[in-house]
Amino acid sequence: MTQAVIRVEHLGKTVAHATGELAILQDVSFSLEPKETAAIVGASGSGKSTLLSIMAGLDTPSSGQVFWGEQDLFALDEDARAQLRARRMGFVFQSFQLLGHLSALENVMLPLELMGDAHAKTQAKAMLERVGLGSRLGHYPKVLSGGEQQRVALARAFVLKPAILMADEPTGSLDHATGQSIMALMLEMNQELSTTLVLVTHDEALAVRMQRRLHLQAGCLV
């Protein structure tokens, strides 16, 4: 039996509210296998981005556990979680989150350099060529289109060959046609690198392309 890449067990998240405590997530459990793709869907305020943040170890749960393989994510301190993320996870944001003072090549080299990779430039160049930006290596984010910026962000996320890629509304800032091409590219890379792909989306057309749909309603998986 294949070991789950990520396992969520009885996850809950509550926050203080003017009228008491507000439950954002309630008893959420599921697991994802290697190479599997999943969309977290639901209405605004249903807890989608909170769930993704907790799965990534960026936010902490009020109850329950998250396992990456056999590692209990919240048995680690914040620094150890950050180190684990650097080795095993890529993240793609709606707003791209590129560093404006770095070129496309330098943005993709950065995570490799932080890991001490002596071949950062060669690998980053190859990954940018893979996402169709071989002619834009020296360009800075401000002169790239939205679709090109998201391709740089994808290259940066995939260059370390992560076990898990998490994406929060990855096509939310893009027009429909560009969003479709970015999604197609994400799915190609997911298969090529055997990366488990988890994304939050409001876009039904994207959600139906995933193998799994995790539908949240008022913080509960339905």
Side-chain angles (χ1 to χ4, degrees), residues 57-58 60 73 76-85:
L58 296 167
T60 55
L73 199 55
L76 303 173
D77 63 24
E78 197 168 329
D79 288 343
R81 288 199 300 273
Q83 291 171 12
L84 187 63
R85 270 196 303 276

Side-chain angles (χ1 to χ4, degrees), residues 20-32:
E21 285 195 328
L22 176 65
I24 299 174
L25 294 172
Q26 302 180 67
D27 198 29
V28 175
S29 297
F30 61 89
S31 63
L32 297 171

Side-chain angles (χ1 to χ4, degrees), residues 48-63:
K48 302 187 299 299
S49 291
T50 299
L51 174 57
L52 197 72
S53 291
I54 293 174
M55 288 169 65
L58 296 167
D59 193 1
T60 55
S62 302
S63 58

